[in-house]
Amino acid sequence: MTVYLVDEDGTDDFTGLFVGHYQQLLRLAVLFLGDVPAAEDVVQEAFIRVHGAVHRRRIEDPVAYLRQTVVNLSRSDLRRTLIARKHAPRAMPDAASAEDDAHSALARHEVIRALRSIPARQREAVVLRYWADLPESEVARLMGVSVGTVKGYTSRALARLGQVLGESA
Amino acid sequence: MSAPLDADRLARLLEDAVGSVRPRAGALDSIRRGARRRRATHRAAAMAAVLALLASGAVAYAAVRGGAQPPSGPASGRTPVYSPPASPTGALDWDVDGDGRPDSARIVALGKGDRNTRFELVVKMSSLGTQRVPFTAAPALKLPPNGPRIVGSVDADADGRAEIFVMIDTGASTQFWTIFKLVNHRITQVTMAGRPVRLSVGGSVMDISGFSCSHSRGDFTTYGYGALTYGARSQRWSVGRDTYRWDGARLVLVSKQSTTIRASSASPRLAKYAGIRCGDLPQYAPR
């Protein structure tokens, strides 16, 4: 029973947006970040940002706005995580390290591990291009780079992923 | 040398990896609560800015007229709204390591300037010496006077050692606090859902958050309410309560409740979803 999909004030634009796109955006953020709680935070923040604007009809294409926000927030979240990891105190054996494994089912997935081994920009490019199935021009717009750069990213990413997954096969 | 991965195969592998990821129950409610909180914060910030402008105008007018000094305000050029507190980041004494002797804690900035977001909690313990824990907070500019503040300390999980509560972000009427505790002889920032804990505290008439800790049960509860309709005749509220248990440095969600109630904003039914009820922690960090 998916009670959480029903808005108590009746279905409105925002509820429709949530029902239609939340899950897909959550999965997109999971592929970027490799971590479900972090992805939930990112997607929730994107929806909060779009919430007021949708009600005031200030956004022409809320889905594009949401997708762009998820891409941007995932990037800054990843940066924050890397900085935090750099400055973090050494993990205790049964405290912080256990935390990292809380979502081990996902982390154990071979392709998720492979994705984490390639540079973040290449990861963004292949996920948006091949999983989200967006045209190269849209991927380029979302990433703020040229179509040629996207082609370069995806080509290098496929080569590296072939290598990583080939080795682990 | 391996061949590049086929794009279709990659698409299938990725879909397989995230195919089981689904929205958790309550995700939409969380978003709505967050959106309401954000709007309330923006409104309160705008109101504070207007008040500050009016107050500084009054001070200037008094100066031009050669009138008296403002009654109890700080130096000229500052309004009471933004008056700095007496001590910068706080340096207080508690028993953090549980040896019965007082320990002390303070916060130091790791970066420079108003936009610095990197800080360090330095805890000097009588039995374990000095430990430093880096953490991030809102830019120093947002946090009066110049960065995060130690709010207080209380043995929230009834383990005989005090946890340290630190304000890491603030709006006009909402504050965000985090927690540090001693786990396996190391001071560690507590996490919730895999992230450093960020407790929402306070709010406006329309939207309030708080938390409580229970010594007898050893659990930790966050709660809050937000107005769904707020009229002279009818007021309807969304209220929620999440209960966590302590697991080392983690707060693990045990139960989640949310419902809608009709009540006036002064009703005791709403009051139980507001405020800080955890030892002698204050309702707000001093500003």
Side-chain angles (χ1 to χ4, degrees):
Chain A
M1 187 169 72
T2 53
V3 173
Y4 59 91
L5 296 180
V6 179
D7 184 355
E8 58 195 340
D9 298 325
T11 301
D12 58 15
D13 287 353
F14 188 75
T15 306
L17 199 61
F18 176 89
V19 172
H21 301 281
Y22 180 90
Q23 180 169 288
Q24 197 72 349
L25 289 165
L26 179 62
R27 291 175 179 179
L28 180 68
V30 167
L31 289 173
F32 286 154
L33 298 167
D35 179 70
V36 176
E40 284 177 339
D41 284 351
V42 160
V43 180
Q44 169 161 328
E45 176 62 24
F47 270 89
I48 286 174
R49 289 186 187 186
V50 87
H51 181 273
V54 165
H55 277 271
R56 291 190 296 272
R57 303 287 195 275
R58 282 194 182 167
I59 298 177
E60 282 185 18
D61 186 350
V63 179
Y65 180 94
L66 277 169
R67 197 184 291 126
Q68 182 74 65
T69 308
V70 167
V71 169
N72 295 346
L73 289 175
S74 297
R75 199 177 291 161
S76 56
D77 194 276
L78 200 62
R79 200 177 299 133
R80 262 201 310 276
T81 306
L82 290 172
I83 291 169
R85 199 171 292 160
K86 189 177 164 190
H87 294 284
R90 193 167 294 178
M92 293 306 295
D94 57 352
S97 56
E99 185 68 50
D100 292 340
D101 288 337
H103 298 277
S104 52
L106 184 75
R108 275 198 301 269
H109 212 290
E110 197 181 26
V111 74
I112 296 290
R113 283 209 309 270
L115 268 184
R116 292 176 91 156
S117 74
I118 64 175
R121 302 288 275 170
Q122 292 181 20
R123 178 163 61 239
E124 276 178 30
V126 284
V127 168
L128 290 168
R129 178 74 186 94
Y130 301 120
W131 179 79
D133 202 22
L134 297 174
E136 282 170 339
S137 57
E138 177 63 8
V139 177
R141 193 191 62 74
L142 280 168
M143 293 181 66
V145 297
S146 70
V147 171
T149 305
V150 169
K151 285 180 178 172
Y153 282 148
T154 53
S155 156
R156 283 196 292 279
L158 289 175
R160 177 68 188 145
L161 288 171
Q163 200 179 344
V164 173
L165 293 171
E167 281 167 2
S168 63
Chain B
M1 171 115 185
S2 303
L5 188 62
D6 176 65
D8 289 338
R9 182 169 167 239
L10 174 63
R12 282 195 303 277
L13 287 172
L14 294 176
E15 187 57 41
D16 184 44
V18 292
S20 61
V21 175
R22 307 219 183 287
R24 84 191 142 72
L28 181 56
D29 287 340
S30 294
I31 290 167
R32 287 192 188 284
R33 275 202 303 275
R36 275 195 297 272
R37 195 170 293 134
R38 189 74 51 88
R39 277 204 303 275
T41 305
H42 288 168
R43 273 199 301 270
M47 184 63 79
V50 170
L51 288 174
L53 196 64
L54 290 173
S56 60
V59 169
Y61 179 71
V64 168
R65 291 288 304 267
Q69 291 295 314
S72 62
S76 61
R78 286 185 184 273
T79 70
V81 175
Y82 297 121
S83 63
S87 72
T89 52
L92 304 167
D93 291 330
W94 311 284
D95 184 11
V96 177
D97 54 5
D99 67 349
R101 289 176 291 175
D103 308 308
S104 65
R106 63 194 170 91
I107 292 171
V108 295
L110 291 177
K112 289 181 180 174
D114 286 345
R115 287 179 173 72
N116 173 47
T117 59
R118 294 169 49 233
F119 301 89
E120 194 173 52
L121 180 71
V122 182
V123 185
K124 193 173 176 184
M125 291 172 284
S126 49
S127 67
L128 296 168
T130 301
Q131 292 186 14
R132 299 166 177 274
V133 190
F135 66 98
T136 56
L141 184 68
K142 273 186 74 186
L143 291 163
N146 281 312
R149 291 183 66 86
I150 296 174
V151 180
S153 184
V154 67
D155 183 9
D157 58 352
D159 68 347
R161 296 185 287 263
E163 281 68 52
I164 300 172
F165 290 73
V166 174
M167 179 182 75
I168 51 168
D169 198 356
T170 182
S173 56
T174 304
Q175 298 183 345
F176 293 94
W177 297 1
T178 194
I179 311 173
F180 295 87
K181 75 182 303 244
L182 190 68
V183 179
N184 295 333
H185 309 299
R186 290 290 306 176
I187 297 290
T188 311
Q189 190 170 12
V190 175
T191 62
M192 197 181 257
R195 309 293 301 275
V197 66
R198 189 177 161 87
L199 302 166
S200 174
V201 171
S204 70
V205 174
M206 309 280 278
D207 193 288
I208 296 275
S209 302
F211 65 86
S212 69
C213 55
S214 162
H215 268 204
S216 55
R217 296 187 305 277
D219 59 12
F220 190 88
T221 306
T222 62
Y223 38 72
Y225 63 77
L228 294 170
T229 55
Y230 191 85
R233 289 183 172 183
S234 167
Q235 294 174 15
R236 210 157 56 90
W237 307 85
S238 166
V239 299
R241 181 191 302 275
D242 296 348
T243 303
Y244 297 82
R245 68 176 166 78
W246 293 92
D247 177 20
R250 297 190 306 161
L251 279 168
V252 181
L253 185 64
V254 176
S255 69
K256 203 171 177 65
Q257 299 168 13
S258 65
T259 188
T260 302
I261 62 174
R262 278 183 196 281
S264 82
S265 58
S267 166
R269 291 174 66 203
L270 276 183
K272 65 182 182 180
Y273 292 95
I276 308 301
R277 290 187 283 277
C278 189
D280 55 3
L281 286 178
Q283 296 300 310
Y284 277 101
R287 304 281 293 253

